[in-house]
Every structure is written in C-alpha cells, then in structure tokens.
C-alpha cells in the first residue's frame, strides 16, 4: 500500500457507493480500497453483484480505486430468525428508520475492516455515515471512542475512522454522485430476483433520495 492509502467500508447503498468515488476524486494521489463484508444477510449476494459492476465502472473514471476486498463476518448465529436473515416480515415503506436497525452492525463490521487496515498499513477507514443517521453505533462519539479502543488493541496510533459525510444530509451527498453510475448501487432489503422490490423500507428511502435531490431515479424496481 502507498503512504496515502485509504479504505472504504462499502455496502451496495448510495452513500458508500458515492463515498468511494468522492474520496478517489478528492485525493487522486491516494489509493482507495473498497471493503465489502459478507454477514449472511439475505440480500447480500445480489448487493455484492451490483457493487462489483459499480466498481468496474467507476474504476474507469478513477484509476486510484483498487480491487474490491471481500471479507466474511457471519452474524446468522447472532440474529437467528431475524428478518434480515430469513426474509420474512421485512420492514416495508410505512416503517420508521428504526425498523431496519441491525444490532451491533457497525461494531462488528468496523472491527473486521480496521484489523484488515492495520495488517495492510492503511491508516484511514472511511464510512458513509450521514448526519441524519439515528442509530447508536453511527455517532461521531462512538467512532472516536471505538478508534481509540482499536488503536490500543492493535498498538497502532495512526489507525482511525473517518466519516466525510457526517455533517451532510442525503440530498447533498446525492449531488456529489450525480455523474456516477448509481443504477449499479443497491439499497433493497427484500430483493426480487435481480431487482429492487420497490416496497421495503430501504427502497422507499432510495426513491425519496432521488426525489429530494431532484435527480432521475435509474433504479429498476419490481413494483
């Protein structure tokens, strides 16, 4: 890795997809490595397929985006019969944001990604957390405290988490991605074949994001 290497904890969603390209554009001399972590959730295989296509396309725009790293952090033994692993009773468009909270998700995923960064001499791990995120493991206080704990655990004082979008809201972030192939991002928690279902909580959030940003929504929805 180069002296200026960064990693991005990426999902298929709009925020982290835009973040990868944003960092590559803002820091052209830095190597940007996207990290995707598989947890056994029922939408992940399709999400990963979309993300690979998205990255192939943005790598033509930004040569400093490196090959996708895929790690594993299974949670099915923890979540057991949760909707995220069974696909049953998935929160629909009428539910509040809190309905899609996955306990400890950032705690678990960030730990794995930070250890990878330490082993590969990458000092910064970026997350696409927004200012409006309501979850307890998505606050600045959590990430600052967690960074210090990981630095102590690994003996690596240079390693830390960055959240470039933490003072921004969705429409602002969407504008940063208006020239990106966002049709290859993926937000659905109840996919139908290769399509967004168009009915779940995350599909509703996705649709609203494009509306609020005044952008055309290129997503293919099942309904």
């Amino acid at each position: 890795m180069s002296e200026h290497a960064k990693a991005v904890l990426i999902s298929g969603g709009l925020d982290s997809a835009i973040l990868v390209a944003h960092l590559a554009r803002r820091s052209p001399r830095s190597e940007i490595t996207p990290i995707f972590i598989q947890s056994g959730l029922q939408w992940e295989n399709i999400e990963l397929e979309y993300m690979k296509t998205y990255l192939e396309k943005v790598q033509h725009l930004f040569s400093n985006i490196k090959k996708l790293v895929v790690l594993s952090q299974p949670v099915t033994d923890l979540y057991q019969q949760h909707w995220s692993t069974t696909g049953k009773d998935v929160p629909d468009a009428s539910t509040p944001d809190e309905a899609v909270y996955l306990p400890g998700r950032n705690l678990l995923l960030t730990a794995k990604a930070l250890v990878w960064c330490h082993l590969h001499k990458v000092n910064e791990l970026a997350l696409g957390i927004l200012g409006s995120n309501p979850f307890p493991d998505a606050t600045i206080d959590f990430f600052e405290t967690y960074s210090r704990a990981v630095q102590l655990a690994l003996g690596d004082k240079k390693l830390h988490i960055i959240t470039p979008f933490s003072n921004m809201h969705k429409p602002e972030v969407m504008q940063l991605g208006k020239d990106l192939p966002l049709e290859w991002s993926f937000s659905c928690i109840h996919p139908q074949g290769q399509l967004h279902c168009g009915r779940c909580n995350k599909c509703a959030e996705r649709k609203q994001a494009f509306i609020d940003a005044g952008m055309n929504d290129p997503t293919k929805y099942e309904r």
Side-chain angles (χ1 to χ4, degrees):
M1 284 292 174
S2 77
E3 178 182 356
H4 305 287
K6 305 176 190 293
V8 179
L9 184 56
I10 194 167
S11 69
L14 291 163
D15 303 328
S16 60
I18 292 170
L19 179 58
V20 170
H22 173 68
L23 290 179
R25 178 186 284 129
R26 191 179 67 178
S27 305
R29 297 179 61 187
S30 297
E31 293 183 355
I32 311 297
T33 299
I35 300 176
F36 184 94
I37 301 181
Q38 294 180 304
S39 300
L41 306 181
Q42 59 99 22
W43 60 84
E44 282 181 348
N45 289 339
I46 297 171
E47 182 181 45
L48 181 56
E49 287 181 29
Y50 269 73
M51 182 48 54
K52 286 179 177 178
T53 301
Y54 174 82
L55 288 172
E56 287 174 2
K57 292 181 180 297
V58 295
Q59 282 163 345
H60 288 297
L61 302 174
F62 308 104
S63 61
N64 55 329
I65 297 178
K66 312 312 289 183
K67 182 179 179 181
L68 176 67
V69 171
V70 180
L71 304 176
S72 179
Q73 179 73 286
V75 297
T76 52
D77 54 346
L78 288 175
Y79 292 173
Q80 297 186 3
Q81 297 304 304
H82 192 266
W83 60 264
S84 62
T85 62
T86 65
K88 298 178 181 178
D89 300 318
V90 174
D92 64 19
S94 67
T95 58
D97 289 343
E98 290 75 14
V100 296
Y101 175 58
L102 299 177
R105 181 159 172 79
N106 283 337
L107 182 73
L108 295 168
L109 300 186
T110 307
K112 186 103 180 191
L114 284 169
V115 174
W116 183 93
C117 289
H118 170 70
L119 294 174
H120 292 83
K121 303 187 186 307
V122 174
N123 293 333
E124 292 185 338
L125 175 67
L127 279 73
I129 301 296
L130 304 186
S132 55
N133 194 301
F135 304 137
D137 61 353
T139 65
I140 296 301
D141 184 52
F142 166 74
F143 289 123
E144 289 178 348
T145 303
Y146 200 43
S147 287
R148 290 196 295 270
V150 172
Q151 288 170 5
L152 288 171
L154 297 174
D156 186 349
K157 293 183 178 180
K158 294 181 179 180
L159 182 62
H160 61 281
I161 299 167
I162 62 172
T163 53
F165 295 162
S166 60
N167 292 320
M168 301 174 68
H169 295 282
K170 200 81 167 190
E172 299 170 83
V173 173
M174 292 294 289
Q175 288 300 316
L176 294 177
K178 62 185 178 182
D179 59 340
L180 300 174
L182 296 180
E183 64 272 23
W184 292 106
S185 62
F186 192 83
S187 309
C188 184
I189 53 176
H190 194 46
Q192 303 298 302
Q194 298 294 312
L195 302 179
H196 287 72
C197 73
R199 302 183 300 276
C200 72
N201 176 288
K202 300 303 288 185
C203 278
E205 179 185 296
R206 182 183 180 90
K207 290 177 180 180
Q208 194 63 47
F210 282 102
I211 292 170
D212 290 345
M215 295 166 58
N216 177 59
D217 185 352
T219 310
K220 294 182 179 180
Y221 299 100
E222 192 265 346
R223 182 182 300 178

